[in-house]
Amino acid sequence: MSLHQAPEPGSDPDSPVHVVFVGAGAVGCFYASRLHHPSHNVYTSLIARSNYKALEANGVKLQTHTFGDYTFVPDAVFPSVAAAAVAQPRGSSSTRLDTASSSSPPPSPLLGARDWDFVVVTTKALPDRSDDSELIAPLVGPRTCVVLIQNGVGVEAPYRARFPRTPIVSAVTVVSAEQTSPGTVRQNRWTRIHLGPYSNSASFSSSPSVAGGDGGGNTTAGLTPAGSSHPTASGAAAEAAAGDEDEHLQKRGMACAQRLGDWWTRLGGIRDVELSDEIGLQTVRWHKLCINAAFNPSAVLSGGRGNADMARDPELRAHLAGVMGEIWAAAPRILGRPFPADLAGPDKILKSTERNVGSKPSMLLDWEAARSLELEVILGNPVRIARGKGVDLPRMQTLYALLRSAQRVREERARENKL
């Protein structure tokens, strides 16, 4: 399969399909709203936290550049994973995409516990703080597909470890959306979403250092470094069996990605849904990392400067170009596939960023609000995965070490001030 391929048009499911989004932020609400089509047998629900009351009472009010303004009323809104694991959708809601239409969708059939067809995770990926694969475990049953719409690389590894036989779809979005108030989401531009299967291509055995752990020293045990010796006979048999299982998971994951891509395109009207094979999707993840790993940590460490401001500063521009160039050179060695020619390189990214005046990276916004940073999936995981393949990322490792230390020191001081 080529890196960019539109999903093939399909048909409506014969029986009801139930999708639950774990995380009701701007991105989750936007993509959930384009997937909810009860009249076509696709029912979408949300698990919300701080905005639960607003969503339960009024649904999601969307103000979109692409589709106009509309109200999305999910099939159900749950205050927790536990509630979604045992509750039944209320079956009386709809998505009011056309306010002039008075037709009502069919009621949602009853849904039993652990009976979700798709569990879509759109929360911030913080593996050093919590294991979201454990969080969603009550939702995952024998027919479930897990879908991960999260930033960074290596986000799939804990889910594959916990659910070794569950199909996983990995997704990368290019969308500008924000929740302006609880229950109100504004989509400013872009709608693109890349989908692809995941078997085991980004796994590594060690997680970030946590209490009682090994401190993150053993970071490559779960990978096969370049130039490793040939397996023994028994090892070859195990490797062949693992390869067969990976191929089976890839096929199931691609079938799930195809179904989602069809619904988002044909029913939801998103024109730039793109399907990739497993390595192709990981290539998209590493390409997005060129932006996230360069601009996000640098905005914090530079004292709070925005993207355009950094891109116009000669020394910071050289630094950003160095980080992006490091990823651009390393990713093909890690993945065994070059970046496609149609993906923007470092120079083009920097020139485009110069025009993005006033934009602050999400990591800087999190830092200013004293929230946890997506350090591991944007910096730590790439360094560990690359190291396991015999590739060093010295610039990224430096950013990781400095920002990880800065976050730790700030948190320790905050705890001391509370005493």
Side-chain angles (χ1 to χ4, degrees), residues 122-198:
T122 61
T123 56
K124 186 183 298 184
L126 301 170
D128 52 331
R129 303 305 169 95
S130 63
D131 182 356
D132 285 345
S133 71
E134 181 180 13
L135 172 69
I136 70 166
L139 306 172
V140 178
R143 74 181 193 185
T144 302
C145 173
V146 173
V147 184
L148 303 176
I149 305 179
Q150 295 180 303
N151 280 331
V153 302
V155 296
E156 307 93 345
Y159 296 89
R160 173 54 65 223
R162 187 171 297 276
F163 310 115
R165 293 177 175 81
T166 297
I168 293 176
V169 172
S170 187
V172 178
T173 60
V174 181
V175 61
S176 172
E178 57 185 323
Q179 188 165 201
T180 57
S181 63
T184 301
V185 170
R186 181 169 61 212
Q187 179 248 351
N188 299 308
R189 54 181 174 169
W190 305 314
T191 59
R192 179 168 295 167
I193 182 167
H194 299 263
L195 303 169
Y198 179 82

Side-chain angles (χ1 to χ4, degrees), residues 309-326:
D309 191 20
M310 290 189 291
R312 292 173 175 178
D313 180 291
E315 291 300 326
L316 283 173
R317 186 186 186 95
H319 157 72
L320 295 169
V323 175
M324 286 189 281
E326 181 174 272

